[in-house]
Amino acid sequence: MKNELIELVEKKTRGKKIPANNKSTARHFRIHKERPFLYEERETTTVLVGGLSPAHDYLFEATMKGLGVKTVALPNTNLDAFHLGREYGNNGYCNPAYFTVGNLIRYLRNLEKSGIPKEEIIENYVFFTIGCNAPCRFGMLETEYRMAMKDCGYEGFRILVFENEGGLNQKIQGKGVQVNPEFFLATVNALNMADVVSELGYAIRPFEVEEGKTNEVMEKALKYLYDKLQNKRRVVFKGWKDIFFKKLHLTNTALFLVRFIEQLKSNYYTDALKEVRKMFEAVEVDRFKSKTTVKITGEFWAITTVGEGNFNMFRFLEKEGAVLLVEPVASLIQLLFSKGLLRHENRREMLLKDRIKGWWQVRKRYKNYLKFQKKRQTLLLGNFLFRREYSRLLKALGGNNHMLIKQSILQEVANPFYNINIEGAEGYMEIAKNIYYHEHKLCHMVLSLKPFGCMPSTQSDGVQAAVIEKYKDIIFLPLETSGDGETNAQSRVLMSLGDARVKAKTEMATAKETVQSTMEEMRDYVNRNPILKSPFYIVPKHNGTVSQAANFIYHVDALIKQETAA
Amino acid sequence: MNTMDTVKLLIGIDVGSTTVKAVVVDHLSGEIIWQDYQRHETKQPEMVLSFLQRIESDHSHITRDEMRLYLTGSGAMNISALIGAKFVQEVTAVCLAAEKLYPDVGSIIDLGGQDSKIIIFKEIPGTGRKKKIPSMNDKCAGGTGAVLDKINAKLAIPSDELAKQQYDGVKLHSVAGKCGVFAETDINSLQKQGVQTKELMASLFEAIVLQNLTVLTRGHTLRPQVLLIGGPNNHIEGIQQAWKHHISLLWKERDYPLPEGCNPKDLIITPDNALYFAAIGAIEYGLDEEEDHGEYMGWDALNYYIKEGRLKAKAGADKGLVTSEDEMHAFYEKYAPENFESASFYPGQKVEAFIGLDAGSTSTKAVLISPEKEVLSKAYQLSRGNPIEDTKSVLNKLHEQVLSAGATLRVLGLVTTGYAKDVLKEVLCADAAVVETVAHTQSALHYYNKVDVICDIGGQDIKIMMLKDGQVKDFELNTQCSAGNGYFLQSTAESFGIPVEKYAENAFKARLSPTFAYGCAVFLQSDIVNFQRMGWQREEILSGLANVLPKNVWLYVAQIPNFAKLGTHFVLQGGTQNNMAAVKAQVDFIESRFEGKPEKPTIIVHKHCGESGAIGAGLEAIRLWEHGRKTTGFIGMDATANIKYNTTCDESTRCSFCKNKCLRTFIDLELGENGHQHGMTMNQHEGMAKTPVVSATNGHTAHNGNGKSVKTRRVIVGNFCEKGSVEDVAAMRGIKKGLDDVIKTTPNLLNVANKELFRSYSPVRVSPPKQKGLFKKQKKEVTDRSDLRIGIPRVLLMYSLAPLFTSYFESLGVLKRNIIFSDFTSEQLYKEGGKRGAIDPCFPSKVTLSHVHNLLFSKQEKKPLNLIFFPMVGDMCSGLVNTVGAWVCPSTVPAAETVKAAFTKEKDIFKSMNIQYVNPFLNLVEKRLFEKQMFDTFQPVLGITRKENMQAVDQAYECLEQYRSNMRAVARETLTTIEQENKIGVVLLGRPYHKDPGINHEIFEGFQKLGYPILTQDVLPQDDYTMEQLFGAEVREGIISHPLDISDVWKRTLNTNVNIKLWAAKFVARHPNLVAVELSNFKCGHDAPTYTVIEEIIERSGTPFFSLKDLDENKPKGSMKLRIETIDYFLKQYRERIFDLVLEDEVY
């Protein structure tokens, strides 16, 4: 049949040729073959990183340096970068891509202006960025980044993409950046430390007595952590150990084990954070300040970036009297674990029955079971250890920050509204967090930030309409960020913030009415007990009250009563 | 700091876009003791200062320390800081006031000058509080008071009459509410048709109300009581009536519970004191604030700002267009078009020439061109609203230039272009009507050797044509937005009392200019007002406005920030380029985009920039002459001067031959005694060309002005499709038959697919489970399946997977007739269901809501459905090799959840209609996983066994493959015919849902009617012969591993439809008979990253490539027609070129 068809077609098209000058293979479009970043080039090549918050980028730079890679974190992105990104990017990029590509172009142009020739820049710099194997367009932008580089005159500039779900099976060209267990552990530690320290800053800043003190200490703390990360001793085998493991071809395995055990047992990072804690002790806080607690959720980039990338939203909210509960990068890492586990669990039946033809294949069944459990348990253990490490850091810093919410809880909360199997961006997390933070009385309002046209996040907002209908008291505001329209966006936030403020004020008024002590008495008590001015003092929650000031009033009143009783 | 105890006065000031309102409240009593409002005539700071001074003087016994000040409104933020006031966000203030004064408030609709806001209050059980759900317009002026102001300024209705304009009982016409400028276009057009002012205004009210209800309610139902506030809502009766009408309707539609016996309209009220809501609310807010807010500092700083501060701010502003007189002269030297001098005619000379006529939206231009292609003379007429009259005028002017010299004119040919080209072709019996884009291109190419980009800015239209090898490869039109056109510059200059000819002269005087934010023209208007207020002079504003024009053209309308891709040779043309200030801004802008790049742009102002279109038309007339058309049908100059006609446009002229129901205009041309148009010869009359879209018929009778009966020839215009070009059914049938013949011989695989997809594949009925005594219940469930009626929305991936699901259900015993798909998308279907939408994703995702609405409220009514099945397909196979992912777009997957939310949030509509909504998440790549997912979903619903399910899934996969094979066979057959007949086939590069005629806006039908066979990307043939022909060499060279490998063009092969599209692009690039038209929707995040790659793949091979991006719910008829005609023109050229080459090959 096939031959007949071919014959027929050949007959019909006989004598016709594809015009040679029109459609020859030589002229067809091909993607650019990326030049690898080789291990030998490490000495001369600078790896540029960026795309998270300045604190995260800064500590990641230190970590990379600690691993022996010459690294520079790009300066924080801004509107100029966005416009450059728009100029050289395609129509229809998402915002994060415009800001990121533009920031890179801006940096390279500045290098050029400083006197480094273009050829040298192309030769001696690479950009290391995160990509994703997910349905979102962000995963596909690598080719576009290269085209943008070409269009702005840096053809051949290397872009290395690190897959966020790729694990150790990364296809990064060359070995300039070695994606191995050491790299993973170091990166996770750096990002976790940036998470916990940043979160602490957001928790303290609104209550600081001396304006600007938190930022001042934050700068010192980050510098301190930078040095610690950069100068961390790397585990290497020397002498007989080196020879021994090499002989057995076990160097990598042994190194992994030693590093892993070190990670679990060493206090290197926790000690560093204890030092940081001491630094922050210098910030005096006044917890009587009535603040509105705002939980930030949304798309990963929009909520981790700080500055013009998200309309300077964090600074604006703090200025408007809000305390922010920001989303840690660790939350996304946890999501990756849970998505992996979910996908694996979904295939349970398939995997267990894989190539089973009858009941008699007991051995095969057992093997399938073991194989299934091996991956499952690995993921569970990985998740457990990740949470353990994060928790250790939190405790070292004072335990005043929020622990990561278990993904299983979030999945349970979200599933009635949004199928948890849906992939793309933060998936079910936006829905789940909205409900969770409301149900657990953790915030007055949820602000969901997302780049304009973010596909999964927009659909998730469609479902939020049903969520806020069910949970009547939720104040939820989805906000699309784009390069322009900061004032308009901030105005929208003010609309909802006004409503949230009423909630906070009502709590405050109720607290003042309920307690027996006067404000003067309570202030006096706090002055007599300076520990209550410490940023690390943990105020117990009172009967579902969100407002920290209200909780503090209940607490101080209780302390006064205790004192009086004593 | 004083405590609140010592405060005596609380002052709330609302600084709005047109007025300032203030209230003063006695702190002790809480009474309002002073209030006033004044129009600020754009001088907000001055007015606030005046208010403060008056308040102080009227309360001279109270010191500033005893006052607290709260400012709200769009203009309040900057002023607050100068006087120590607390800034209160306007919505917050309005809500507080509404809750205080109207405790039963359920919703507020605040129609402001530049902002429209809707706030819905929802009770929070157990708290006594109400939650507010606010929503406001974004960067666009659509649906705001600004639109109303703009139209009102045009219609010049006195304010007392405006207030009395009615809506109830007034006839309505279609007016765009989305954009003020488009509304103006619609109003213009209706006005020309003689529609009365009261109907225009009522139609505008309708448009504004619907725009807000659709966009701002975000799917929520407005709750009673509804308060209408804001300027227009307060003052204009008609708009209040429009709100009442539509909100009542909505409550009825949604069965919203209202108090018994109450007239719904009574629940929509306009409060008497609504004017002061924001000011009162600001004070309310302040009362609840901490001690240290709003401490009045006096007005000294404000006074300083007015007198000096704001002027200082100017120092940091942009530079003017030129920095010196010398620079200006140098610029004029280089760019000013040379003065045109008409040819001198002499007595007795017999001038033989061609005429090019360009009937644009704001002006009509004509040129007389010699056979040697020299422009002999030009004529111009600013539009007076009637293209026939304008044409008579310009042709008369041309004629006069010849006659006045004592010469005579013989017109060898006349070709029309511009928006009225088809009408004029009919009326004048012109030789041809050439599409505008082509006329402009030919004109530019005639004068300049190398052209990469033509930027044509006319009065209303912006056209940017991107060329490659002398053919338009793509173009951008301002179909969605009018920001950036020349009319805006002109109207602004005129509002300053400066004729447009003097624009540049004035603008070049400025050495500084204010920086306008590019974007919506309606908001630019407001910016002008703001800048005037800040003390900028008119020259400076004109300069700033000229500066923003290129940004609007390139960045806002055309959205081309990356000039590197365009090329380096730019030709600027269109009437606006006569304004040298606009040219200077364009030149500066284009040059700035090349800064730091090795290549530099060459910018040329077309030597006949205003008449480039007319010249293009004239050149076409010459081309026709040179190609053997040695006679012209043109009725002649005298006949043109004597054209008499009558136009009719009302319900009687509406077409009823298709669902579009176009409102046509009949132009009855009076014929002379001999039955011919005045001045026409018999030959001319008989030789009148007919075009399918506009047609003329003889034999009508009408009454002329003297009441005498005269014979007429009727020209019909305004119809979108060919069927509307005639009046009687028989003639329409004739036209339809002609079209059907073309359609029959020109395959359109979109239509074939739409039939194949939704038909039954008669899958094998899977074996029912063995019936044993104990399983009676199961038996019943099995039997019941034949009665089960399943509704499936005809959306998204159903356009590639429908056979999979229908076959699954059929094999389980569900009858084919009981599997009900929603209708194809249509404007009506979208509108009926769209109002429930809470979000604004891409149109294909958004319209899913309307499809489920269609199932619920249309299909369900005919015969009840048992369940609605809307699967969420997470991944699916592309059939390609070497790919890394098979994801499906993340906007379309969760759409089923969003739809569920929309129909269950306020009330579970599925439950109330006894319908089960089933939306499982499915993975198609792993068949066994899919099997499990289907079993988990349908076991509880259909009572199936695992075995049944497994067999049904097998059947489903088989039938899907059968559909694909069938389609590929049809595609192969089509391709063979195309190859045999040396035709050009158009391949749709799009997503599955682009097969939906309501989403592709029937663009491909247009191509089919022109004789281009249509293929789709997902079923291109993959037989060995084709694969070998197209990819064999590359496989052997090792460039790719397999013909279905796309790793040579794309690394991140993560997404199935993207991968298929890329492969199809490679296919087209390698096949000589195929070209590609890419469709993509606005906000399509999956297509966006591939735009450049797709273009590169196709164009690198020399294949024409056209794309229509940013499609949404609006069907831009005019622009689509223009595109199809343009593409057709260049494809014809391409076909000639490509097959000439083939012939040459054969000869040698």
Side-chain angles (χ1 to χ4, degrees), chain B residues 933-970:
Chain B
Q933 290 164 331
M934 290 299 269
F935 181 74
D936 290 347
T937 308
F938 286 106
Q939 199 285 326
V941 182
L942 304 177
I944 50 175
T945 63
R946 282 189 184 274
K947 191 178 172 193
E948 266 188 302
N949 180 61
M950 189 180 79
Q951 289 174 342
V953 167
D954 287 344
Q955 282 295 307
Y957 272 70
E958 262 178 45
C959 291
L960 180 64
E961 196 43 49
Q962 194 187 330
Y963 154 74
R964 288 176 179 159
S965 308
N966 291 354
M967 285 305 298
R968 288 212 170 95
V970 179

Side-chain angles (χ1 to χ4, degrees), chain B residues 554-725:
Chain B
W554 297 99
L555 302 179
Y556 191 68
V557 175
Q559 295 192 25
I560 310 173
N562 188 351
F563 277 51
K565 292 180 183 169
L566 298 179
T568 52
H569 288 68
F570 292 75
V571 173
L572 308 179
Q573 55 192 45
T576 304
Q577 314 296 359
N578 283 319
N579 177 348
M580 290 308 285
V583 175
K584 178 72 170 73
Q586 280 276 21
V587 170
D588 288 349
F589 182 81
I590 295 170
E591 284 180 345
S592 73
R593 307 311 274 185
F594 283 85
E595 265 171 27
K597 292 175 189 164
E599 63 274 23
K600 293 291 163 218
T602 305
I603 304 162
I604 296 159
V605 180
H606 194 294
K607 65 189 290 186
H608 302 287
C609 56
E611 296 82 15
S612 55
I615 292 172
L619 292 170
E620 180 66 13
I622 297 173
R623 193 186 71 85
L624 290 172
W625 183 270
E626 286 172 348
H627 279 68
R629 181 169 182 154
K630 298 293 180 189
T631 55
T632 177
F634 173 48
I635 59 172
M637 293 302 220
D638 295 331
T640 305
N642 289 323
I643 290 173
K644 287 178 185 164
Y645 60 92
N646 186 35
T647 58
T648 321
C649 177
D650 54 29
E651 282 308 310
S652 71
T653 65
R654 191 179 288 282
C655 175
S656 58
F657 295 143
C658 80
K659 62 181 189 293
N660 286 335
K661 306 263 181 256
C662 297
L663 185 63
R664 302 173 295 181
T665 301
F666 291 171
I667 304 171
D668 293 317
L669 298 160
E670 276 188 29
L671 302 177
E673 294 297 316
N674 55 1
H676 303 150
Q677 213 166 303
H678 290 282
M680 275 168 72
T681 64
M682 175 72 90
N683 285 346
Q684 282 168 338
H685 188 237
E686 283 170 0
M688 284 184 311
K690 279 201 168 72
T691 56
V693 175
V694 176
S695 85
T697 47
N698 291 331
H700 291 271
T701 46
H703 296 280
N704 65 9
N706 307 323
K708 275 175 87 177
S709 172
V710 289
K711 286 188 176 169
T712 59
R713 184 164 77 94
R714 175 162 287 175
V715 176
I716 300 175
V717 294
N719 46 308
F720 181 61
C721 75
E722 299 79 357
K723 285 181 241 168
S725 62

Side-chain angles (χ1 to χ4, degrees), chain A residues 2 5-6 9-10 12-13 15-19 21-23 25 27-31 83 86-93 109 118 131-137 139-144 146-147 151 161 163 173 290 320 343 346-347 349-350 416-419 421-424 452-453 455-456 458-459 461-463 465-466 468-469 471-475 480 482 484 487-488 491-492 494-496 498-499 501-503 505-506, chain B residues 87 89 91-92 122-125 129 131-132 134 136-139 220 223 285 288-289 555 559 561-562 564-565 593 597 838-839 841 845 872 887-891 893-895 897-898 900-901 905-906 921 923 926 928-929 932 946 972 976 979-980 982 1023-1025 1029 1034 1037 1039 1047-1052 1054-1055 1058 1068-1072 1074 1082-1083 1085-1086 1088-1089 1091-1093 1096-1097 1100-1103 1134 1138 1141 1146:
Chain A
K2 197 181 279 177
L5 178 68
I6 294 171
V9 173
E10 271 181 343
K12 285 182 175 176
T13 55
K16 290 184 183 62
K17 284 186 242 165
I18 295 171
N21 62 343
N22 187 39
K23 305 215 171 181
T25 56
R27 283 185 58 182
H28 286 309
F29 168 81
R30 315 268 179 227
I31 44 168
H83 289 301
R86 290 266 300 148
E87 187 176 343
Y88 292 103
N90 224 333
N91 279 345
Y93 267 21
R109 286 197 169 166
K118 194 172 264 178
C132 62
N133 179 357
C136 163
R137 85 184 89 174
M140 296 195 287
L141 290 174
E142 187 183 340
T143 312
E144 285 293 309
R146 296 208 175 97
M147 285 198 170
D151 285 344
V161 176
E163 296 282 354
Q173 297 90 339
S290 176
E320 287 298 321
R343 283 184 208 138
N346 284 342
R347 284 156 182 79
E349 205 175 306
M350 274 169 67
F417 295 94
Y418 194 85
N419 192 309
N421 292 297
I422 298 171
E423 302 270 356
F452 172 76
M455 297 187 288
T458 303
Q459 289 292 3
D461 286 345
V463 177
I468 57 172
E469 198 62 46
Y471 300 94
K472 306 270 185 205
D473 202 13
I474 284 182
I475 298 177
E480 286 193 332
S482 61
D484 313 311
T487 312
N488 199 335
S491 179
R492 276 161 195 251
L494 279 182
M495 288 187 213
S496 297
D499 226 5
R501 237 182 229 153
V502 175
K503 267 181 165 180
K505 279 183 184 168
T506 311
Chain B
F87 170 72
Q89 209 280 336
V91 170
T92 311
K122 292 198 173 178
E123 294 84 12
I124 306 166
R129 284 192 297 115
K131 178 168 71 174
K132 292 131 204 153
M136 69 186 282
N137 65 312
D138 204 338
K139 287 174 249 175
H220 296 283
R223 301 183 165 213
Y285 181 91
D288 215 21
E289 271 295 285
L555 302 179
Q559 295 192 25
N562 188 351
K565 292 180 183 169
R593 307 311 274 185
K597 292 175 189 164
I839 48 168
S845 293
M872 299 187 284
W887 297 112
V888 166
C889 153
S891 182
V893 180
E897 290 288 37
T898 309
K900 185 172 84 179
K905 63 179 178 188
E906 288 179 343
F921 180 83
N923 294 87
E926 296 156 277
R928 297 278 77 97
L929 178 59
K932 177 189 178 293
R946 282 189 184 274
R972 180 60 262 179
T976 307
E979 288 161 357
Q980 260 183 338
N982 278 348
D1023 56 276
D1024 293 350
Y1025 172 74
Q1029 281 286 83
E1034 288 166 278
E1037 283 173 38
I1039 297 167
S1047 61
D1048 56 328
V1049 294
W1050 192 242
K1051 189 179 169 195
R1052 314 287 298 171
L1054 293 163
N1055 303 90
V1058 169
V1068 173
R1070 284 154 181 79
H1071 198 291
L1074 296 180
F1082 178 56
K1083 287 193 175 178
H1086 262 193
Y1091 287 157
T1092 318
V1093 176
E1096 292 258 359
I1097 291 172
R1100 194 73 73 83
S1101 69
T1103 309
Y1134 172 73
I1138 198 115
L1141 287 172
E1146 284 176 341

Side-chain angles (χ1 to χ4, degrees), chain B residues 196-327:
Chain B
Q196 296 171 24
T197 306
K198 66 172 187 179
E199 291 178 12
L200 295 177
M201 287 312 286
S203 308
L204 186 66
F205 299 154
E206 166 98 349
I208 289 174
V209 166
L210 284 178
Q211 169 76 5
N212 283 304
L213 280 180
T214 312
V215 177
L216 291 189
T217 55
R218 310 260 180 225
H220 296 283
T221 308
L222 291 170
R223 301 183 165 213
Q225 277 172 336
V226 181
L227 303 187
L228 302 177
I229 64 169
N233 277 345
N234 266 326
H235 300 303
I236 306 171
E237 252 179 77
I239 204 149
Q240 294 167 9
Q241 292 166 357
W243 282 118
K244 287 183 179 185
H245 171 77
H246 282 287
I247 296 169
S248 307
L249 211 63
L250 212 64
W251 284 338
K252 197 176 165 197
E253 264 175 32
R254 296 188 185 176
D255 202 14
Y256 191 86
L258 300 174
E260 220 161 284
C262 165
N263 180 355
K265 290 187 178 177
D266 294 342
L267 297 169
I268 303 154
I269 52 174
T270 312
D272 297 334
N273 50 357
L275 205 57
Y276 294 104
F277 260 40
I280 294 169
I283 293 176
E284 281 297 308
Y285 181 91
L287 280 172
D288 215 21
E289 271 295 285
E290 301 276 315
E291 296 275 320
D292 55 348
H293 282 114
E295 289 172 68
Y296 179 42
M297 301 182 329
W299 43 260
D300 302 337
L302 178 62
N303 195 28
Y304 172 79
Y305 170 77
I306 291 167
K307 290 190 172 150
E308 290 180 47
R310 65 183 171 189
L311 294 176
K312 281 184 183 169
K314 278 175 68 175
D318 283 355
K319 287 192 175 140
L321 291 165
V322 289
T323 49
S324 65
E325 289 272 311
D326 292 346
E327 190 189 338

